[in-house]
Amino acid sequence: MFAVAIFGLVAATSSLGQQTPATARPWTLTDAQVREIVGRVRAGRDLTPRSWPNGARVAVGLSFDVDNETSTLRDSGTSPALLSQGEYGSRAGLPRVLALLRTHGIAASFFVPAVSAMLHQASVKAIMEPGHHEIGLHGWIHERNSQLEGPTERDLLTRAAKALEMATGKRPVGMRTPSWDYSPSTIQIATELGLLYDSSLMADDRPYEVVAAGQPTGIVELPVEWILDDFPYFWMDRASTVRPTMTPDEVFSIWKAEFDGAYEERGLFILTMHPHVIGHRARIAMLDRLVTYMKSRPGVWFATHEQIARHVKGGLR
Ligand SMILES: [Zn+2]
């Protein structure tokens, strides 16, 4: 255990080239060093628009991370049983998600690792078929990007963008990093790829511009949060004590209250889900109930992340 911990520390330190020896002893950091670390990626100006399209009170961005088997593969997992848990996402979960969106006539964003797109080409076609959903970047194989050297992360994300463009006919304009991890290189890579937006950071409920090392990047952040994600409420790890403790009704009550708050603030409601998690029967029924509730309120704009990002970016020009 001790050796593993030491190895982990050494690996983490060597893989993050910008770390100084002082970060291993954080109590020795100078004020300037602390400011440099937190300033690498920061929230800039609030991009909440003066109004949403057609006078809507709130923008709702439903997103689905189509991880499927990649969350097992990225940790070198090969167990057919664990892989089948991911396969459920394409075989059972995604058709239910798409049927729900079709029934309600709303558009959503799907963030797809390149390996998942390769394994499930029919899923990519099914997502694109209605013509109003968006597919965005979600890494190559759901890699833990904060453990990678910058050039490796750049190569994987660049290849993933090309793979999605080949699969969909459209260059992705936004990204959600796998597991919302960020390395010191991630925002620079996003800038190099010319991305319109990111949806992986958590500094606000409101859309904002990402600032990197004090410089505005022009990249729109559509912020996320673990309380607005299906994974922590529903996922279990059979090898540990991690067990889902929430019923769909309890999760509904949290998400409804978050939506009600966004509605009152005339703000933004971003929800992150996964077809292999939310796609189970009791949960998709809960999502249907939530969407039905949101639609019962006047002035709710359901949109893709791309549409929301373009609107908030244009509003301040
Ligand atoms: Zn994911």
Side-chain angles (χ1 to χ4, degrees):
M1 199 66 182
F2 181 71
V4 169
I6 290 295
F7 178 77
L9 179 63
V10 171
T13 303
S14 64
S15 69
L16 299 176
Q18 296 179 19
Q19 282 195 349
T20 62
T23 55
R25 291 172 288 118
W27 54 90
T28 67
L29 292 171
T30 66
D31 291 1
Q33 285 173 316
V34 171
R35 287 201 176 88
E36 187 277 322
I37 290 169
V38 302
R40 290 174 188 172
V41 177
R42 214 61 169 153
R45 58 183 175 160
D46 174 15
L47 294 181
T48 303
R50 290 186 194 90
S51 63
W52 295 107
N54 301 318
R57 279 191 68 109
V58 64
V60 172
L62 302 182
S63 55
F64 300 89
D65 296 357
V66 189
D67 299 347
N68 295 333
E69 299 92 338
T70 60
S71 47
T72 296
L73 291 169
R74 63 106 174 256
D75 289 327
S76 305
T78 59
S79 156
L82 289 178
L83 292 169
S84 75
Q85 223 176 349
E87 186 182 13
Y88 184 94
S90 66
R91 186 181 172 89
L94 184 69
R96 288 183 182 139
V97 167
L98 290 174
L100 184 153
L101 297 173
R102 188 166 56 244
T103 299
H104 287 285
I106 55 181
S109 294
F110 295 77
F111 296 96
V112 189
V115 167
S116 185
M118 178 272 291
L119 286 173
H120 302 290
Q121 295 172 26
S123 292
V124 172
K125 283 198 179 70
I127 293 167
M128 296 300 287
E129 199 269 329
H132 54 221
H133 298 317
E134 172 195 12
I135 288 187
L137 286 162
H138 199 42
W140 179 259
I141 193 168
H142 214 272
E143 60 275 11
R144 296 183 186 276
N145 63 6
S146 58
Q147 297 178 2
L148 299 177
E149 299 284 354
T152 304
E153 184 184 4
R154 177 177 290 104
D155 175 56
L156 291 177
L157 211 54
T158 303
R159 283 199 285 138
K162 285 182 186 149
L164 290 188
E165 186 174 7
M166 290 282 288
T168 67
K170 182 174 183 284
R171 183 93 175 161
V173 300
M175 75 170 179
R176 169 162 296 149
T177 62
S179 307
W180 299 332
D181 284 338
Y182 247 72
S183 84
S185 307
T186 304
I187 195 64
Q188 172 66 26
I189 297 168
T191 305
E192 291 167 10
L193 289 174
L195 296 184
L196 166 70
Y197 75 89
D198 171 57
S199 184
S200 318
L201 299 171
M202 310 188 189
D204 208 324
D205 304 301
R206 301 166 295 180
Y208 60 84
E209 181 177 18
V210 180
V211 171
Q215 298 301 314
T217 62
I219 293 178
V220 173
E221 181 61 37
L222 302 178
V224 293
E225 232 299 326
W226 288 108
I227 59 173
L228 290 166
D229 185 314
D230 57 1
F231 198 86
Y233 299 125
F234 293 132
W235 197 249
M236 66 160 278
D237 179 353
R238 64 179 180 170
S240 74
T241 57
V242 176
R243 294 285 184 275
T245 57
M246 309 289 279
T247 67
D249 283 349
E250 288 170 315
V251 177
F252 174 87
S253 72
I254 296 169
W255 289 353
K256 175 181 176 294
E258 284 289 320
F259 167 79
D260 287 340
Y263 192 86
E264 287 307 311
E265 293 174 356
R266 297 181 174 270
L268 174 65
F269 180 76
I270 296 285
L271 189 58
T272 298
M273 294 163 284
H274 305 74
H276 70 294
V277 179
I278 199 72
H280 288 276
R281 294 159 178 158
R283 302 169 187 170
I284 203 80
M286 179 272 284
L287 179 60
D288 184 69
R289 195 151 57 94
L290 181 69
V291 172
T292 301
Y293 170 72
M294 292 192 288
K295 286 178 72 181
S296 76
R297 306 297 306 272
V300 180
W301 181 45
F302 290 91
T304 65
H305 284 35
E306 177 179 359
Q307 289 172 316
I308 295 170
R310 289 200 188 285
H311 181 75
V312 303
K313 193 166 182 176
L316 287 190
R317 270 205 288 272

